[in-house]
């Protein structure tokens, strides 16, 4: 997995306008037209909201995998699949996300949020990048049985930019996992893409993931 619009002020204005319109109609003896106008306004607002909704990656736009990818529906909320690095560090926004999986050991996720302004979008992207950058140290501090290494793989030239990070973890009982994460921004909209599988950095499709991360930002609008 659009952000829910705060409509308290708009609702008050609408109620006032309808009340005045009803009074004017009663005085003039004209046929009521408020319902038609209200429905037209609602349809227009719905169309604008739908048109402005950021788009998500398709399964075919993820790094290639031998079994192919399956995409889930776009869902409201912040995905628990990113909680290992971002679960307690994300500000309260209305997030949407989409999960992806293969028939073997790889999985992926995209989360997107529309903030209130470009400045807020930049602040959120900066916050998410910092949370990812410090993720390895926090994991080792919270879980003594885990050794973690984070790497920064640079920036991507798309819209307001995207950054790419890597994270490798190994447990005391021998399980190893590698994750790639990107944070990108287009104006006030921020998107995070995560990819993971068993293995280490040599098993990560970095070049293909960078293409996916760039596509995620370019495709938003």
């Amino acid at each position: 997995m659009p952000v829910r619009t705060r409509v308290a002020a708009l609702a008050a204005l609408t109620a006032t306008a309808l009340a005045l319109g009803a009074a004017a109609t009663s005085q003039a003896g004209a046929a009521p037209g408020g319902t038609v106008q209200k429905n037209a306004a609602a349809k227009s607002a719905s169309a604008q909201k739908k048109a402005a909704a950021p788009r998500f990656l398709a399964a075919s736009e993820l790094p290639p995998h031998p079994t192919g990818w399956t995409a889930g529906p776009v869902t409201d909320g912040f995905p628990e699949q990113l909680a290992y690095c971002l679960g307690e560090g994300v500000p309260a926004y209305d997030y949407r996300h989409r999960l992806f999986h293969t028939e073997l050991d790889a999985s992926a996720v995209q989360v997107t949020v529309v903030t209130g302004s470009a400045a807020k979008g930049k602040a959120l992207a900066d916050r998410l990048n910092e949370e990812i950058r410090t993720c390895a140290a926090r994991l080792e501090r919270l879980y003594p049985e885990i050794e973690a290494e984070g790497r920064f793989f640079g920036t991507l030239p798309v819209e307001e930019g995207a950054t790419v990070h890597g994270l490798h973890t190994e447990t005391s009982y021998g399980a190893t996992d590698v994750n790639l994460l990107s944070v990108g921004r287009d104006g006030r909209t921020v998107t995070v893409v995560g990819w993971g599988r068993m293995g280490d950095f040599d098993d990560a499709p970095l070049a293909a993931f960078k293409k996916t991360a760039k596509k995620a930002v370019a495709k938003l609008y």
Side-chain angles (χ1 to χ4, degrees), residues 1-2 54-57 71-77 95-100 110 112:
M1 330 137 197
R55 295 179 297 167
F56 281 73
L57 291 167
V74 175
T75 306
D76 290 339
Y95 298 91
R96 305 190 78 206
H97 69 274
R98 167 174 276 178
L99 302 180
F100 305 85
Q110 181 183 11
T112 296

Side-chain angles (χ1 to χ4, degrees), residues 192-206:
V192 178
V193 180
W195 172 98
R197 59 160 291 182
M198 293 187 293
D200 55 31
F201 285 119
D202 291 337
D203 301 306
L206 181 57

